[in-house]
PDB file of all heavy atoms in Angstrom:
ATOM      1  N   ASP A 203      -8.772   8.648  -2.991  1.00 96.00           N
ATOM      2  CA  ASP A 203      -7.868   8.119  -4.015  1.00 96.00           C
ATOM      3  C   ASP A 203      -6.719   9.082  -4.312  1.00 96.00           C
ATOM      4  O   ASP A 203      -5.601   8.650  -4.608  1.00 96.00           O
ATOM      5  CB  ASP A 203      -8.633   7.811  -5.302  1.00 96.00           C
ATOM      6  CG  ASP A 203      -9.378   6.480  -5.213  1.00 96.00           C
ATOM      7  OD1 ASP A 203      -9.400   5.888  -4.118  1.00 96.00           O
ATOM      8  OD2 ASP A 203      -9.929   6.032  -6.227  1.00 96.00           O
ATOM      9  N   LEU A 204      -6.981  10.384  -4.233  1.00 96.00           N
ATOM     10  CA  LEU A 204      -5.903  11.354  -4.437  1.00 96.00           C
ATOM     11  C   LEU A 204      -4.833  11.219  -3.352  1.00 96.00           C
ATOM     12  O   LEU A 204      -3.641  11.390  -3.614  1.00 96.00           O
ATOM     13  CB  LEU A 204      -6.454  12.779  -4.441  1.00 96.00           C
ATOM     14  CG  LEU A 204      -7.275  13.208  -5.655  1.00 96.00           C
ATOM     15  CD1 LEU A 204      -7.830  14.611  -5.448  1.00 96.00           C
ATOM     16  CD2 LEU A 204      -6.445  13.153  -6.928  1.00 96.00           C
ATOM     17  N   LEU A 205      -5.254  10.898  -2.140  1.00 94.00           N
ATOM     18  CA  LEU A 205      -4.310  10.784  -1.026  1.00 94.00           C
ATOM     19  C   LEU A 205      -3.309   9.652  -1.237  1.00 94.00           C
ATOM     20  O   LEU A 205      -2.170   9.731  -0.770  1.00 94.00           O
ATOM     21  CB  LEU A 205      -5.075  10.551   0.283  1.00 94.00           C
ATOM     22  CG  LEU A 205      -5.817  11.759   0.858  1.00 94.00           C
ATOM     23  CD1 LEU A 205      -6.726  11.338   1.997  1.00 94.00           C
ATOM     24  CD2 LEU A 205      -4.832  12.814   1.343  1.00 94.00           C
ATOM     25  N   SER A 206      -3.727   8.600  -1.935  1.00 93.00           N
ATOM     26  CA  SER A 206      -2.845   7.447  -2.135  1.00 93.00           C
ATOM     27  C   SER A 206      -2.344   7.320  -3.569  1.00 93.00           C
ATOM     28  O   SER A 206      -1.657   6.361  -3.906  1.00 93.00           O
ATOM     29  CB  SER A 206      -3.580   6.162  -1.740  1.00 93.00           C
ATOM     30  OG  SER A 206      -4.759   5.988  -2.517  1.00 93.00           O
ATOM     31  N   HIS A 207      -2.669   8.300  -4.404  1.00 91.00           N
ATOM     32  CA  HIS A 207      -2.330   8.203  -5.826  1.00 91.00           C
ATOM     33  C   HIS A 207      -0.842   8.409  -6.077  1.00 91.00           C
ATOM     34  O   HIS A 207      -0.221   9.314  -5.507  1.00 91.00           O
ATOM     35  CB  HIS A 207      -3.119   9.252  -6.618  1.00 91.00           C
ATOM     36  CG  HIS A 207      -2.905   9.181  -8.102  1.00 91.00           C
ATOM     37  ND1 HIS A 207      -3.211   8.066  -8.846  1.00 91.00           N
ATOM     38  CD2 HIS A 207      -2.409  10.082  -8.980  1.00 91.00           C
ATOM     39  CE1 HIS A 207      -2.916   8.288 -10.112  1.00 91.00           C
ATOM     40  NE2 HIS A 207      -2.426   9.499 -10.214  1.00 91.00           N
ATOM     41  N   GLU A 208      -0.273   7.559  -6.922  1.00 88.00           N
ATOM     42  CA  GLU A 208       1.116   7.698  -7.339  1.00 88.00           C
ATOM     43  C   GLU A 208       1.147   8.332  -8.722  1.00 88.00           C
ATOM     44  O   GLU A 208       0.798   7.696  -9.714  1.00 88.00           O
ATOM     45  CB  GLU A 208       1.809   6.336  -7.344  1.00 88.00           C
ATOM     46  CG  GLU A 208       1.930   5.714  -5.959  1.00 88.00           C
ATOM     47  CD  GLU A 208       2.693   4.404  -5.985  1.00 88.00           C
ATOM     48  OE1 GLU A 208       3.243   4.064  -7.052  1.00 88.00           O
ATOM     49  OE2 GLU A 208       2.733   3.721  -4.948  1.00 88.00           O
ATOM     50  N   THR A 209       1.550   9.589  -8.789  1.00 84.00           N
ATOM     51  CA  THR A 209       1.586  10.316 -10.051  1.00 84.00           C
ATOM     52  C   THR A 209       2.691   9.754 -10.942  1.00 84.00           C
ATOM     53  O   THR A 209       3.817   9.563 -10.476  1.00 84.00           O
ATOM     54  CB  THR A 209       1.836  11.813  -9.797  1.00 84.00           C
ATOM     55  OG1 THR A 209       0.832  12.301  -8.902  1.00 84.00           O
ATOM     56  CG2 THR A 209       1.775  12.603 -11.096  1.00 84.00           C
ATOM     57  N   PRO A 210       2.405   9.457 -12.215  1.00 79.00           N
ATOM     58  CA  PRO A 210       3.447   8.944 -13.118  1.00 79.00           C
ATOM     59  C   PRO A 210       4.622   9.900 -13.204  1.00 79.00           C
ATOM     60  O   PRO A 210       4.451  11.120 -13.232  1.00 79.00           O
ATOM     61  CB  PRO A 210       2.724   8.840 -14.468  1.00 79.00           C
ATOM     62  CG  PRO A 210       1.279   8.755 -14.125  1.00 79.00           C
ATOM     63  CD  PRO A 210       1.106   9.568 -12.883  1.00 79.00           C
ATOM     64  N   GLU A 211       5.820   9.350 -13.240  1.00 77.00           N
ATOM     65  CA  GLU A 211       7.016  10.180 -13.317  1.00 77.00           C
ATOM     66  C   GLU A 211       7.180  10.778 -14.709  1.00 77.00           C
ATOM     67  O   GLU A 211       6.860  10.146 -15.711  1.00 77.00           O
ATOM     68  CB  GLU A 211       8.258   9.359 -12.964  1.00 77.00           C
ATOM     69  CG  GLU A 211       8.334   8.958 -11.498  1.00 77.00           C
ATOM     70  CD  GLU A 211       9.647   8.285 -11.165  1.00 77.00           C
ATOM     71  OE1 GLU A 211      10.525   8.243 -12.052  1.00 77.00           O
ATOM     72  OE2 GLU A 211       9.795   7.810 -10.028  1.00 77.00           O
ATOM     73  N   SER A 212       7.712  12.000 -14.733  1.00 68.00           N
ATOM     74  CA  SER A 212       8.007  12.648 -16.002  1.00 68.00           C
ATOM     75  C   SER A 212       9.252  12.036 -16.628  1.00 68.00           C
ATOM     76  O   SER A 212      10.179  11.632 -15.927  1.00 68.00           O
ATOM     77  CB  SER A 212       8.226  14.146 -15.778  1.00 68.00           C
ATOM     78  OG  SER A 212       8.759  14.753 -16.923  1.00 68.00           O
ATOM     79  N   SER A 213       9.252  11.984 -17.963  1.00 60.00           N
ATOM     80  CA  SER A 213      10.444  11.524 -18.671  1.00 60.00           C
ATOM     81  C   SER A 213      11.295  12.711 -19.114  1.00 60.00           C
ATOM     82  O   SER A 213      12.319  12.548 -19.769  1.00 60.00           O
ATOM     83  CB  SER A 213      10.032  10.711 -19.912  1.00 60.00           C
ATOM     84  OG  SER A 213       9.260  11.506 -20.795  1.00 60.00           O
ATOM     85  N   VAL A 214      10.858  13.925 -18.774  1.00 57.00           N
ATOM     86  CA  VAL A 214      11.560  15.141 -19.171  1.00 57.00           C
ATOM     87  C   VAL A 214      12.350  15.672 -17.988  1.00 57.00           C
ATOM     88  O   VAL A 214      11.838  15.777 -16.872  1.00 57.00           O
ATOM     89  CB  VAL A 214      10.557  16.219 -19.649  1.00 57.00           C
ATOM     90  CG1 VAL A 214      11.288  17.506 -19.989  1.00 57.00           C
ATOM     91  CG2 VAL A 214       9.757  15.721 -20.835  1.00 57.00           C
ATOM     92  N   GLN A 215      13.611  16.001 -18.193  1.00 50.00           N
ATOM     93  CA  GLN A 215      14.392  16.660 -17.169  1.00 50.00           C
ATOM     94  C   GLN A 215      14.250  18.163 -17.367  1.00 50.00           C
ATOM     95  O   GLN A 215      14.708  18.720 -18.354  1.00 50.00           O
ATOM     96  CB  GLN A 215      15.861  16.255 -17.243  1.00 50.00           C
ATOM     97  CG  GLN A 215      16.717  16.892 -16.152  1.00 50.00           C
ATOM     98  CD  GLN A 215      18.160  16.469 -16.209  1.00 50.00           C
ATOM     99  OE1 GLN A 215      18.551  15.714 -17.088  1.00 50.00           O
ATOM    100  NE2 GLN A 215      18.972  16.957 -15.285  1.00 50.00           N
ATOM    101  N   TRP A 216      13.574  18.796 -16.423  1.00 44.00           N
ATOM    102  CA  TRP A 216      13.286  20.229 -16.537  1.00 44.00           C
ATOM    103  C   TRP A 216      14.534  21.016 -16.174  1.00 44.00           C
ATOM    104  O   TRP A 216      15.123  20.847 -15.116  1.00 44.00           O
ATOM    105  CB  TRP A 216      12.135  20.612 -15.616  1.00 44.00           C
ATOM    106  CG  TRP A 216      11.687  22.023 -15.824  1.00 44.00           C
ATOM    107  CD1 TRP A 216      11.909  23.087 -15.012  1.00 44.00           C
ATOM    108  CD2 TRP A 216      10.967  22.536 -16.948  1.00 44.00           C
ATOM    109  NE1 TRP A 216      11.358  24.227 -15.542  1.00 44.00           N
ATOM    110  CE2 TRP A 216      10.770  23.920 -16.726  1.00 44.00           C
ATOM    111  CE3 TRP A 216      10.477  21.981 -18.115  1.00 44.00           C
ATOM    112  CZ2 TRP A 216      10.101  24.735 -17.621  1.00 44.00           C
ATOM    113  CZ3 TRP A 216       9.797  22.793 -19.013  1.00 44.00           C
ATOM    114  CH2 TRP A 216       9.618  24.151 -18.752  1.00 44.00           C
TER     115      TRP A 216
END
Side-chain angles (χ1 to χ4, degrees):
D203 280 7
L204 288 176
L205 286 170
S206 59
H207 183 60
E208 295 183 8
T209 304
E211 291 186 6
S212 169
S213 60
V214 177
Q215 182 179 2
W216 187 254

